[in-house]
Amino acid sequence: MFFRKTRATVSGDASVGVESESKRTSAQAPSTRSSHSDDQLTAMVLDALGGVISALARFPIDLPQRSAADAAKDLSAWHRHVTLGLPREHVEGGAAVGIGERDWRGLIREVATMRRDEQTTVGSLVTELREALWSCVSAVHESVRVDSTAVSATDAQLTRMRSAISGSNLSTIREEVLSAVGEIDRALRARHDEQQRQYTSLADTLDALGQQLEEAKKESETDPLTNVGNRKHFDLMSARAVQLASLSRGPVTLLMIDLNQLKRINDTFGHQVGDAAIVSVANALWRVFLRQSDVVCRYGGDEFAVVLNGTDAAVAEKLALRLVNAVRELPRPHQAMDFALGASVGVAQLQLGETLSSWVARADAAMYEAKKAAHSVGVLVATAEHTPIACAEAKVA
């Protein structure tokens, strides 16, 4: 490598030309100018080679076979050996060797092995990177497809990306990956917009369904003829009133109301007129019991029930008399009627610890006590001994 005449073959097809110190001594002495030129050339070559080895040592690569630190250490030892002739293993006071005695073959093998390992490792990493990119982008692509348009666009992009990954041009791989990411981003945005539309539609559907369920619940608890609560609603609200009263110890009173003349109206003028009479009584109930907490229900047939939360028997009696007067003053549902509507009312305030069935039975008994007097109304309140007592009575024309 450094001299012109003798050439020694080393590993592979590489070769270097060396001339031993002994041959140089025994050879015919060249001119002084030629000797100086050879020495300068040798120094220049050694400096260049040392620079190459130093560069390799400054930028080593971690390999599975050898760490970067070990590679830098080995290259530094080779640098000292080929430039200064020192032993590769650090030996204090080790004597330098001549040019021809240095391990040029070992250096070539070392660098060739290092470059081969680097190439193998980088190739393996690039292959793994390609496969990882493909797997990642392909998986995201499968998860973001929204419709046939998005599928077509992303499928076409992935086909180009697959071709690029199969090649060796990293710049092309980068461009195709970025393009695929952009296409998938657009698909993601499309899916987001579609999801927002679906959520809005679902919310509207749920709202409509909630309203329908609320209306259905209301209808299931509403009397279709009078639009007041039906028996189901009364059972629910009266049971709730008993529970609340047991907790708050506040008064709650039940009114049971019966139309006195309904059978006569049905028999004389027909059930349509009788239904009109029932509706007019329901309207009178709405006008007397105005509070939101008042529960007005059609108990069945010609009977109504009113639950007055937060109301004691004394106030309930006054309201019952007001209802009787309101019913008596109602317009007659048929012009041929020569009698007025009448109502009998029973009043019972819930007693401490009383059950719902007992409470309803007392109010119902009080209503029948009032009904015993023909064309009259009796307002009755049960004592603590559950004995109905007539408190008021009013004649109906």
Side-chain angles (χ1 to χ4, degrees):
M1 179 180 296
F2 309 113
F3 296 94
R4 296 183 298 276
K5 294 182 179 179
T6 305
R7 301 182 63 85
T9 303
V10 294
S11 62
D13 59 354
S15 62
V16 295
V18 296
E19 184 174 359
S20 65
E21 296 291 336
S22 59
K23 288 184 178 181
R24 187 175 58 174
T25 303
S26 62
Q28 186 177 11
S31 65
T32 304
R33 183 173 180 178
S34 176
S35 176
H36 287 172
S37 297
D38 288 344
D39 290 342
Q40 291 175 353
L41 178 61
T42 300
M44 291 174 61
V45 170
L46 289 177
D47 287 343
L49 181 59
V52 171
I53 297 175
S54 295
L56 292 175
R58 283 198 305 271
F59 306 105
I61 298 176
D62 271 316
L63 303 175
Q65 302 87 347
R66 179 168 52 184
S67 68
D70 289 343
K73 181 179 178 181
D74 291 342
L75 287 169
S76 296
W78 278 108
H79 179 271
R80 292 192 300 271
H81 176 68
V82 299
T83 58
L84 303 177
L86 298 177
R88 285 190 295 114
E89 297 297 333
H90 180 68
V91 179
E92 289 293 339
V97 297
I99 294 294
E101 299 178 64
R102 298 174 190 179
D103 190 3
W104 303 110
R105 292 186 178 87
L107 173 62
I108 294 173
R109 285 195 301 270
E110 181 76 14
V111 175
T113 300
M114 184 180 299
R115 293 297 297 156
R116 184 190 64 234
D117 291 343
E118 289 175 355
Q119 184 181 42
T120 301
T121 300
V122 171
S124 176
L125 292 175
V126 170
T127 300
E128 292 176 3
L129 175 61
R130 289 170 179 163
E131 293 303 320
L133 285 173
W134 172 252
S135 298
C136 178
V137 176
S138 180
V140 174
H141 164 258
E142 290 298 323
S143 67
V144 303
R145 292 189 297 182
V146 178
D147 52 32
S148 58
T149 303
V151 170
S152 176
T154 54
D155 280 348
Q157 182 60 57
L158 255 69
T159 299
R160 293 195 300 271
M161 180 179 168
R162 186 61 168 173
S163 299
I165 286 179
S166 300
S168 59
N169 192 330
L170 295 181
S171 177
T172 302
I173 294 176
R174 176 179 178 277
E175 292 175 1
E176 293 299 336
V177 168
L178 292 178
S179 180
V181 169
E183 196 65 48
I184 290 176
D185 180 65
R186 284 189 288 273
L188 282 172
R189 292 178 183 275
R191 187 176 71 172
H192 177 269
D193 294 342
E194 180 63 23
Q195 286 178 339
Q196 291 301 314
R197 287 192 292 271
Q198 292 176 354
Y199 291 153
T200 301
S201 176
L202 179 60
D204 293 341
T205 301
L206 291 176
D207 288 342
L209 180 59
Q211 292 176 0
Q212 292 173 2
L213 291 175
E214 188 66 27
E215 291 172 359
K217 178 183 177 183
K218 184 178 179 181
E219 289 177 0
S220 71
E221 298 181 3
T222 301
D223 177 61
L225 177 62
T226 61
N227 204 34
V228 299
N230 58 14
R231 176 63 182 271
K232 177 182 178 181
H233 187 63
F234 170 79
D235 291 341
L236 175 65
M237 299 306 293
S238 58
R240 188 173 297 174
V242 171
Q243 294 171 350
L244 292 175
S246 67
L247 296 175
S248 65
R249 302 300 174 90
V252 56
T253 305
L254 174 62
L255 277 65
M256 298 297 292
I257 305 150
D258 181 81
L259 274 64
N260 293 333
Q261 303 291 346
L262 185 62
K263 186 177 185 306
R264 182 179 175 186
I265 293 172
N266 286 334
D267 293 343
T268 305
F269 304 103
H271 285 83
Q272 287 186 341
V273 178
D275 288 347
I278 293 174
V279 172
S280 64
V281 172
N283 292 333
L285 287 167
W286 285 124
R287 290 194 296 270
V288 173
F289 304 104
L290 302 173
R291 298 182 309 171
Q292 188 174 1
S293 60
D294 296 342
V295 180
V296 180
C297 301
R298 186 181 180 189
Y299 194 75
D302 59 351
E303 293 186 26
F304 291 86
V306 179
V307 179
L308 301 176
N309 293 287
T311 304
D312 58 20
V315 175
E317 292 173 26
K318 297 177 182 179
L319 293 172
L321 288 173
R322 185 182 302 172
L323 174 64
V324 169
N325 293 328
V327 171
R328 183 167 44 191
E329 295 173 359
L330 287 172
R332 298 179 183 182
H334 194 280
Q335 59 183 2
M337 282 180 57
D338 57 356
F339 56 90
L341 293 173
S344 299
V345 183
V347 179
Q349 180 176 337
L350 181 67
Q351 302 297 321
L352 183 63
E354 187 175 20
T355 63
L356 174 60
S357 58
S358 173
W359 184 35
V360 173
R362 289 196 304 109
D364 203 46
M367 184 265 292
Y368 278 105
E369 287 292 327
K371 196 173 180 65
K372 286 180 181 179
H375 307 291
S376 66
V377 56
V379 181
L380 304 180
V381 181
T383 64
E385 290 77 18
H386 299 182
T387 303
I389 300 176
C391 296
E393 194 172 88
K395 280 288 183 183
V396 179

